[in-house]
Amino acid sequence: VDAAADGMKFLLGLSCALANGVMSSIGFTMQRKAQLISEESRDEDVQRRSSFIRNAGVVLYILAAVPDVISYTLVPQVVCTTVACFRLVFVTFLAHTFLHEEVRGREALGMAICTLGTFLCLVFGPRPEDIKGDDMAQTFYHAQVWTYLGFGLVILVLLLVVEHLGRFGTYHFNKHVHYITLPLATGLAFALEKVFNTEIGFVQTPASLPGLFD
């Protein structure tokens, strides 16, 4: 019975991680598509269509956080991050299909390697029962983790200030600076999010909420 329950828990967590990848990839692609449509013409109808697609993409991207959080409560972090890496393959496929971005042999080879790596990690990676929750939970209170979070949050705030400073008319950075600050801020926010998501998996479930997270 316990083995069957662990198996169902793993499949549910994996499904949530995949749902997060699919939803966030589609939302991201919709936002990029909206930008391309907006650049094609300044016609009011075109801009209205672009705005609708962009807003829908943003909403879908935000909603993707729900299955992401759930997945971290059900399966080990390595499973969630492995599926998150596979999202690059799906985004590349969507970009080629809907944004008409060219995919050459090098990109195809990278997609194949990423897919193989994801498969191997899922097949041979840890299962929920392989990880001792008490030992893992204690690691979140180590000084290294708090240092990482504190330093990461400070850097994230600085990057966001640089990214948005021009909007307030205070100082305008060279546009090439934004090519660096925005990806760095996005990646750092993503990394910090995963720390907190992982911790959620070791939070004791209240007795009044049995079932899904047990």
Side-chain angles (χ1 to χ4, degrees):
V1 178
D2 291 339
D6 289 336
M8 288 299 297
K9 183 178 181 180
F10 181 83
L11 290 177
L12 179 58
L14 178 60
S15 299
C16 288
L18 289 171
N20 165 257
V22 171
M23 293 172 65
S24 59
S25 298
I26 295 176
F28 178 81
T29 305
M30 291 174 66
Q31 295 174 60
R32 178 57 182 164
K33 183 67 174 180
Q35 181 62 29
L36 295 177
I37 293 175
S38 177
E39 294 174 354
E40 291 177 356
S41 172
R42 291 299 177 183
D43 182 76
E44 185 176 346
D45 290 337
V46 173
Q47 293 299 316
R48 188 180 300 111
R49 178 189 171 204
S50 171
S51 179
F52 174 79
I53 295 176
R54 179 182 294 107
N55 293 336
V58 170
V59 171
L60 186 60
Y61 197 90
I62 294 173
L63 291 177
V66 176
D68 185 40
V69 172
I70 295 177
S71 67
Y72 272 82
T73 67
L74 299 173
V75 293
Q77 183 188 33
V78 66
V79 175
C80 298
T81 51
T82 296
V83 175
C85 291
F86 182 71
R87 182 172 57 181
L88 296 174
V89 175
F90 192 53
V91 168
T92 304
F93 168 77
L94 293 177
H96 176 71
T97 305
F98 297 102
L99 303 181
H100 308 295
E101 296 184 3
E102 186 176 358
V103 175
R104 299 185 177 88
R106 182 176 61 181
E107 288 80 7
L109 177 61
M111 294 170 65
I113 293 175
C114 187
T115 301
L116 177 61
T118 300
F119 173 77
L120 293 176
C121 285
L122 293 179
V123 172
F124 300 105
R127 295 296 187 268
E129 62 272 16
D130 298 331
I131 297 178
K132 296 180 180 180
D134 293 339
D135 294 340
M136 288 291 295
Q138 294 301 320
T139 63
F140 291 105
Y141 301 101
H142 287 177
Q144 296 92 325
V145 177
W146 287 107
T147 302
Y148 169 78
L149 291 176
F151 185 75
L153 288 172
V154 170
I155 298 299
L156 179 60
V157 170
L158 291 177
L159 290 172
L160 292 176
V161 168
V162 172
E163 178 64 26
H164 295 283
L165 201 57
R167 296 190 177 186
F168 300 100
T170 306
Y171 186 82
H172 293 278
F173 289 94
N174 186 290
K175 66 177 182 179
H176 296 291
V177 173
H178 298 287
Y179 296 157
I180 299 175
T181 57
L182 186 56
L184 284 178
T186 303
L188 183 55
F190 186 81
L192 293 174
E193 173 208 2
K194 298 312 174 186
V195 175
F196 292 107
N197 282 358
T198 303
E199 187 173 3
I200 291 176
F202 301 100
V203 173
Q204 293 295 326
T205 306
S208 58
L209 297 174
L212 176 62
F213 304 111
D214 288 345

